[in-house]
Amino acid sequence: MGNFKDVRIVDNFYQTSSFFPMPTTLVSTLSEEGKTNLGAYSLCFPYYIAGKDYYAMILECRNSSNTAQNLLRDKKCALNFIPDKKKYFKEAVRLGFPGETTEEKMKNCIFTLEESAVSADRPKIVGESFQVFECSWDDTLENAYLDKAGCLEGYEPPYRNFNGITSKFGAHFILKIDKILMKERHYDGIVNGIKASSFPAVPVDYGYRDSTNFWCSSFKKPYAEKIQAKEGDVSTVIYAAKRIDPEVTFTDEACARLTKIPRIFLKAALTQMVKIAKEEGIGKIDEAALDLINDKRREEKKKK
């Protein structure tokens, strides 16, 4: 193995047997009394990213935690991504300590709670966040709706494979993204053109922890590395364009401007262009029409 050593794989391997960069999030849920509870989590990642009728995250947690019990009962949450400030990470560590009731942990919480952008009966969101995902648990997957709140000493089998109660002490939640909220400066970067200054100060939970400390890596200004685009042959674009829709054609000049689109994304891009062309009453996509269509695509992106 050269210079590598074989590390023993144990429970919580991402913390105890490795260094694994993760996000720092506060998950807000509603307690049984209807109060917003904040729990600190890093095992929260994109799950459904394309090709489904909705987009989703996956959250992994102890099934006895306030967050898990609230999700089993209420099915709503918000994923609050907090910026890189030492006082915020210190508070996140405090909020992640198990065993406290919602009233106890939220009594002196330093974060500002704001109303949900979806509805007033949902968990509040953290005002200091640079972005928030408001989500709903999809309990239809694996019949996870059969799993109920109330077991704080561990659940007995049978267990789900990926959604609901997955082990005696564990749970996975597939969270449908209902709304993404973002602070204006970062929103402008995504919609109008990204720059280094557009990126939020994102802390990275370093993964490793011991019996004494959690570790966090401070944010550094990102740098850009140019994508080494491999231009396709214009004949490939022409071939694909002719097979999208017989009612809309592309000129060779327009196709020549589309050679930088990776082949794997070419059909989807051309299909979207044809759809917009039909909406605009365009039967032939030349360079002028292509400019108009690209403007429309950018407008649609802003709306999303």
Side-chain angles (χ1 to χ4, degrees):
M1 294 190 296
N3 294 323
F4 289 100
K5 302 289 288 184
D6 188 1
V7 180
R8 187 166 66 96
I9 303 172
V10 298
D11 285 355
N12 295 326
F13 67 89
Y14 65 96
Q15 291 180 323
T16 54
S17 304
S18 65
F19 300 99
F20 194 80
M22 299 179 291
T24 304
T25 65
L26 295 175
V27 181
S28 50
T29 54
L30 286 179
S31 71
E32 202 164 2
E33 296 74 32
K35 303 294 184 182
T36 295
N37 178 89
L38 294 180
Y41 288 93
S42 288
L43 292 177
C44 188
F45 310 99
Y47 192 75
Y48 290 148
I49 62 168
K52 300 284 287 186
D53 58 354
Y54 65 89
Y55 302 102
M57 301 286 286
I58 183 169
L59 172 68
E60 304 172 40
C61 56
R62 288 181 301 106
N63 59 37
S64 61
S65 68
N66 291 331
T67 297
Q69 291 292 304
N70 292 343
L71 274 169
L72 287 168
R73 185 183 55 257
D74 184 63
K75 312 185 194 313
K76 300 292 189 295
C77 71
L79 311 179
N80 304 275
F81 295 79
I82 56 175
D84 178 25
K85 288 189 177 182
K86 286 187 176 181
K87 67 176 183 179
Y88 291 169
F89 188 68
K90 182 176 182 179
E91 181 73 340
V93 171
R94 184 187 74 81
L95 290 167
F97 192 82
E100 291 187 319
T101 65
T102 295
E103 185 177 6
E104 289 170 336
K105 71 160 52 181
M106 298 301 293
K107 183 178 180 181
N108 297 309
C109 180
I110 69 171
F111 292 109
T112 306
L113 296 181
E114 300 180 1
E115 293 295 330
S116 160
V118 178
S119 63
D121 60 348
R122 295 176 67 115
K124 293 183 178 180
I125 64 177
V126 175
E128 289 82 1
S129 304
F130 61 83
Q131 71 180 11
V132 179
F133 294 178
E134 295 206 62
C135 301
S136 302
W137 176 38
D138 187 350
D139 65 350
T140 64
L141 300 172
E142 276 205 294
N143 296 326
Y145 61 86
L146 296 172
D147 295 336
K148 305 297 181 184
C151 298
L152 302 182
E153 303 302 323
Y155 283 77
E156 297 302 320
Y159 301 121
R160 317 292 166 195
N161 289 314
F162 65 90
N163 188 46
I165 303 300
T166 51
S167 67
K168 186 175 181 65
F169 301 111
H172 289 185
F173 295 96
I174 307 303
L175 302 173
K176 176 184 177 182
I177 300 175
D178 300 316
K179 189 176 287 290
I180 293 180
L181 307 171
M182 190 174 295
K183 291 292 175 64
E184 185 173 2
R185 178 163 65 91
H186 313 308
Y187 169 87
D188 286 343
I190 285 180
V191 173
N192 298 318
I194 202 74
K195 298 179 292 186
S197 59
S198 305
F199 284 81
V202 180
V204 176
D205 183 334
Y206 213 68
Y208 179 81
R209 64 162 292 189
D210 51 31
S211 59
T212 307
N213 299 303
F214 276 99
W215 294 78
C216 180
S217 177
S218 294
F219 174 78
K220 291 185 178 180
K221 183 179 178 180
Y223 64 90
E225 182 66 32
K226 201 73 174 177
I227 297 172
Q228 302 300 314
K230 297 180 180 180
E231 292 194 26
D233 191 321
V234 67
S235 63
T236 300
V237 180
I238 293 172
Y239 179 86
K242 286 181 178 179
R243 283 155 179 78
I244 297 298
D245 192 307
E247 297 179 10
V248 179
T249 61
F250 287 75
T251 65
D252 290 352
E253 291 77 15
C255 289
R257 288 177 50 183
L258 303 176
T259 55
K260 289 187 177 181
I261 300 176
R263 185 175 298 182
I264 193 171
F265 302 129
L266 182 59
K267 183 178 179 181
L270 293 173
T271 299
Q272 185 188 29
M273 291 176 188
V274 167
K275 177 177 178 292
I276 295 173
K278 284 188 168 184
E279 292 171 353
E280 297 296 317
I282 298 171
K284 177 182 287 187
I285 300 177
D286 56 16
E287 290 187 89
L290 188 60
D291 289 336
L292 185 149
I293 289 169
N294 284 333
D295 287 342
K296 291 288 183 181
R297 292 175 75 195
R298 281 189 286 270
E299 287 176 13
E300 287 187 7
K301 184 179 179 182
K302 288 182 180 181
K303 291 176 183 177
K304 294 179 180 179

